[in-house]
Amino acid sequence: RIHTLHYYCLITINRQPSIMMLRQAAQALSRRLPTTARRSSPSFLATSSSVGIDNFVLTPVNLQSKRDIWVWGSPPSSSSSNRRGFADAVVDHEVTHDSHWSQFPMAPPDPIIGLTEAYLKDDFPDKVNVGVGAYRCDQGMPFVLPVVREAENELVAEELDHEYSGIAGCPNFVDVALKFAYGDDCLPLKENRVAGVQTLSGTGGLRVFGEVLHQFGHKHIYVPNPTWGNHIPIFTNAGLEVRKYRYYDNATSNLDFSGLLDDLQAIPEGSCVLLHACAHNPTGMDPTMEQWKQISNVAKERNLLPFFDCAYQGFASGDARKDAAALRMFVEDGHNIALVQSFSKNFGLYGQRVGALSVVADTPDEAKRVLSQLKVHIRPSYSNPPRHGARIVSKILSSEKKTDEFVEQCMGMAKRIDSMRIKLRNTLEELGSSRSWEHITK
């Protein structure tokens, strides 16, 4: 830009200008000045390090600003020392630097969320989104469980405050969440041997526990192949090397149980192994209870740390107790498991980010020490979790009547999903597909 004020312009730059840049600025100004330009001396401080360009001098002057100011003018005459800095004009040219973010490459879209974004942009009237794991009604809209809406209305009527929760979250929520997963008759719960905290859904719990593992000596974690896509970056960013054990046979669309056992038996002793408590994501293929027992035995022999990810309790089969049977069996077998829970799918609280992280310890004192370390990692990460969704879950699971309503409504969602799977398989077979679609309804 060229600005003129009494036929003065300023070149303002953030670094030492090149001769070429100054020459171009001087030439640009020369074309803009009238031939009868009035000369007067601008007010500025002492000059130094003049740069000569043809018959002109560009002299840096300090105007006590953050930028260097270069003055273009006639060279001072030996007979007139007071003409030092006598300027035909001062050129104003703001140098544009690269943005701090100019070297940032475009990151690839998330494979799941990116598919949803593409779905929303598509104007095809019969489009179907089979990417993100979120329940939808017949109209393709998010579904709010009636018992959730009832609990929410009651909370609004109570006019509760919006004070911070503690670092570990809402105590009542943590209490009912752990009983929901471990069972009311869980011995470690009765003996106060379970350290539990509220987390930012399952994702936040995974990250917190990954950081804790890394801090206390774990260098790697084993996950099933395949697993939920976000498991890998979560644990990688927590500082762990992600290793895989066999889980699914793509050729037969079935659980590769022999490969799973072989890999677990070869895992270094003391390693942490991630297990999907139910509704394995993305295959939907779970071990039978007999197979879970064999996995528990191998984990015992190898002194492995079982870490259960439970994102679909009650939503998988419609029976919350059945969906928690594997993790409860591991606890009964004496494993000091870790568990992360999500209440996004089963309660339909996707946007509320409600979750819990818990660790079974040997003693109450050990549980307290584990809890202190979980809180140490939560505090600098997100300080404390949100309260609204946790209050909804607490209100439902603290009431026998509301819990029964939740079980019934969750069962309704699970049965509807099963019926849709059957219809999908039947339709594919009726259309003459040569592939076996038996795994869809297993």
Side-chain angles (χ1 to χ4, degrees):
R1 296 173 306 163
I2 301 294
H3 298 289
T4 59
L5 177 62
H6 301 298
Y7 303 120
Y8 294 112
C9 296
L10 295 176
I11 303 177
T12 60
I13 60 176
N14 295 320
R15 53 182 165 80
Q16 183 79 359
S18 66
I19 297 297
M20 178 61 71
M21 181 176 67
L22 295 173
R23 185 190 301 278
Q24 291 173 347
Q27 292 173 348
L29 180 61
S30 297
R31 291 193 295 269
R32 297 289 298 274
L33 288 175
T35 56
T36 58
R38 180 168 65 91
R39 295 182 177 184
S40 73
S41 177
S43 174
F44 59 86
L45 303 181
T47 65
S48 63
S49 304
S50 298
V51 179
I53 298 182
D54 298 332
N55 296 323
F56 303 99
V57 173
L58 288 121
T59 306
V61 294
N62 178 13
L63 293 187
Q64 297 178 333
S65 70
K66 293 183 179 179
R67 292 173 175 162
D68 291 331
I69 309 298
W70 288 76
V71 177
W72 171 48
S74 302
S77 150
S78 58
S79 61
S80 180
S81 60
N82 63 354
R83 294 188 63 188
R84 182 179 182 184
F86 187 94
D88 295 295
V90 184
V91 182
D92 185 353
H93 177 74
E94 186 171 347
V95 176
T96 301
H97 292 289
D98 289 340
S99 164
H100 293 290
W101 329 119
S102 61
Q103 301 304 313
F104 278 37
M106 178 61 72
D110 181 88
I112 298 176
I113 304 301
L115 183 62
T116 299
E117 292 171 350
Y119 167 83
L120 294 174
K121 293 177 182 178
D122 196 325
D123 58 2
F124 181 64
D126 297 323
K127 62 184 179 181
V128 177
N129 183 2
V130 294
V132 66
Y135 186 83
R136 294 290 184 263
C137 67
D138 287 335
Q139 290 71 42
M141 301 300 292
F143 177 71
V144 179
L145 273 68
V147 69
V148 167
R149 186 68 78 197
E150 177 186 351
E152 191 171 37
N153 290 337
E154 290 180 8
L155 289 170
V156 171
E158 292 173 14
E159 297 185 347
L160 301 173
D161 60 45
H162 296 282
E163 184 57 271
Y164 289 119
S165 64
I167 297 174
C170 302
N172 186 58
F173 163 76
V174 175
D175 181 55
V176 297
L178 298 191
K179 289 179 180 178
F180 182 66
Y182 293 97
D184 291 329
D185 58 348
C186 174
L187 185 60
L189 278 181
K190 291 181 177 180
E191 296 176 344
N192 297 317
R193 292 194 288 113
V194 183
V197 295
Q198 180 186 340
T199 59
L200 299 181
S201 198
T203 302
L206 290 164
R207 177 57 186 260
V208 169
F209 193 65
E211 291 180 3
V212 171
L213 286 175
H214 182 255
Q215 179 182 353
F216 288 93
H218 285 263
K219 304 300 182 185
H220 52 259
I221 186 171
Y222 285 83
V223 302
N225 184 25
T227 191
W228 179 46
N230 214 19
H231 279 147
I232 296 172
I234 287 172
F235 292 129
T236 299
N237 291 343
L240 298 171
E241 176 192 350
V242 179
R243 301 178 181 177
K244 298 179 180 180
Y245 60 88
R246 282 174 286 179
Y247 188 87
Y248 190 71
D249 186 345
N250 287 306
T252 62
S253 297
N254 210 339
L255 185 69
D256 182 5
F257 188 65
S258 60
L260 183 155
L261 284 184
D262 288 345
D263 285 354
L264 291 185
Q265 288 168 340
I267 286 177
E269 288 192 18
S271 297
C272 183
V273 179
L274 183 77
L275 302 166
H276 296 227
C278 61
H280 177 272
N281 186 354
T283 69
M285 196 67 62
D286 294 332
T288 64
M289 288 307 297
E290 291 75 17
Q291 291 171 329
W292 274 120
K293 186 63 177 181
Q294 294 181 63
I295 295 172
S296 174
N297 291 339
V298 172
K300 267 288 189 183
E301 293 169 4
R302 304 295 298 167
N303 190 31
L304 303 178
L305 169 54
F307 180 23
F308 281 92
D309 185 351
C310 186
Y312 298 93
Q313 186 184 354
F315 193 72
S317 68
D319 184 340
R321 292 181 297 273
K322 179 180 178 180
D323 292 343
L327 71 91
R328 293 181 184 184
M329 182 183 68
F330 269 65
V331 174
E332 291 171 2
D333 287 347
H335 293 278
N336 287 349
I337 72 166
L339 167 68
V340 64
Q341 298 168 259
S342 169
F343 293 84
S344 297
K345 309 297 192 301
N346 48 6
F347 279 75
L349 295 171
Y350 304 98
Q352 297 299 336
R353 315 310 295 143
V354 187
L357 170 64
S358 55
V359 175
V360 177
D362 271 341
T363 66
D365 179 68
E366 185 176 86
K368 291 178 182 178
R369 287 184 275 119
V370 172
L371 176 62
S372 72
Q373 293 298 330
L374 298 179
K375 292 164 69 174
V376 162
H377 284 267
I378 289 172
R379 176 58 172 160
S381 179
Y382 53 85
S383 192
N384 44 59
R387 304 186 74 175
H388 184 64
R391 283 170 166 168
I392 292 174
V393 175
S394 295
K395 184 166 279 292
I396 293 172
L397 294 183
S398 297
S399 164
E400 184 176 350
K401 175 179 177 295
K402 286 185 173 60
T403 299
D404 290 342
E405 292 174 359
F406 161 74
V407 170
E408 181 182 353
Q409 293 164 20
C410 199
M411 175 69 79
M413 291 192 294
K415 287 184 175 180
R416 178 170 174 269
I417 292 173
D418 287 342
S419 68
M420 294 171 70
R421 286 177 173 271
I422 293 171
K423 186 174 182 180
L424 174 61
R425 176 184 171 181
N426 291 342
T427 301
L428 289 168
E429 291 173 347
E430 289 169 2
L431 290 173
S433 174
S434 59
R435 179 188 172 118
S436 171
W437 296 101
E438 181 184 358
H439 61 283
I440 292 181
T441 56
K442 275 187 178 178

